[in-house]
Amino acid sequence: ERLGVTVVYVTHDQSEALTMSDRVAVFNDGIIQQLASPPDLYERPENAFVAQFIGENNKINALILENNEKTIKARTKTGNIFEAKRVNCDSVGSKTTLSVRPERINVGIKGENTADAEILELIYIGDHIRCRMKVEGDENFIVKIPNSSKKSTLNLGQKTKVSWSIDDCRALDTLEN
């Protein structure tokens, strides 16, 4: 009979935590925010703190217009209306943080959620290009563009569109900041 061994390891290194662990507990002020497998923490954060803490994350503040069983519709300060998976948010009229990962964003095409964007910085990483954009007034909106055989035609200062799917956007609580 094979016995499992439980090891508790405390680290502030996210990469270390995600690669070494079957389950990770994310704490904030001594309170567990989420206890889950590394893929669940990254792909399905349960609140805005976890979304910001684990990996890169774009956040868009919005006001909830419709609150359905599985999705919400929310209006941003620029007037865009986005639809997102309902995860951890309040009722119609309350604020939410829309969370979307940089690698889930499409550039130059319209999608289920579409916003205007301006390219502020392009950084060649090797396997991808890290593109910092101005989206919804946020100048630190990050998009990761895979480095594929079709060369990117993006240029600094270029105005374009960015889009993402409803499934890749999570409606979370708001962070106080």
Side-chain angles (χ1 to χ4, degrees):
E1 182 179 326
R2 190 173 166 193
L3 297 175
V5 176
T6 299
V7 176
V8 175
Y9 184 77
V10 178
T11 181
H12 291 272
D13 185 324
Q14 288 180 31
S15 304
E16 190 173 61
L18 294 175
T19 55
M20 287 178 56
S21 307
D22 295 322
R23 292 190 315 156
V24 177
V26 176
F27 283 81
N28 184 19
D29 287 336
I31 298 167
I32 293 178
Q33 299 297 306
Q34 187 170 349
L35 173 62
S37 69
D40 275 347
L41 282 178
Y42 187 83
E43 300 291 343
R44 292 174 284 285
E46 291 176 0
N47 63 42
F49 179 83
V50 174
Q52 281 299 107
F53 190 76
I54 301 291
E56 276 193 297
N57 174 60
N58 292 304
K59 61 183 189 300
I60 300 168
N61 296 322
L63 192 68
I64 299 172
L65 300 177
E66 283 180 35
N67 193 336
N68 305 309
E69 194 175 314
K70 296 198 173 181
T71 64
I72 61 104
K73 284 187 180 173
R75 185 178 56 240
T76 67
K77 63 184 174 192
T78 67
N80 275 327
I81 295 175
F82 297 134
E83 192 167 354
K85 287 177 85 167
R86 183 177 182 265
V87 178
N88 177 13
C89 58
D90 289 327
S91 55
V92 170
S94 65
K95 293 178 181 177
T96 184
T97 300
L98 303 178
S99 167
V100 62
R101 297 290 185 191
E103 66 276 11
R104 299 299 167 86
I105 297 168
N106 303 303
V107 177
I109 57 173
K110 290 185 177 181
E112 291 174 327
N113 292 304
T114 303
D116 292 326
E118 180 184 352
I119 298 171
L120 303 177
E121 185 177 40
L122 294 165
I123 301 172
Y124 181 84
I125 303 292
D127 63 343
H128 73 277
I129 296 163
R130 190 172 186 276
C131 183
R132 185 171 61 87
M133 300 182 151
K134 182 177 181 179
V135 175
E136 288 293 324
D138 179 4
E139 295 193 349
N140 289 303
F141 194 92
I142 303 298
V143 180
K144 291 180 180 174
I145 303 163
N147 185 5
S148 63
S149 57
K150 67 177 181 86
K151 292 296 177 208
S152 172
T153 57
L154 301 177
N155 298 296
L156 290 180
Q158 179 181 342
K159 304 250 199 284
T160 185
K161 300 267 185 212
V162 289
S163 65
W164 55 90
S165 75
I166 294 165
D167 279 347
D168 288 334
C169 187
R170 298 174 67 78
L172 304 171
D173 56 325
T174 56
L175 284 172
E176 299 300 322
N177 57 2

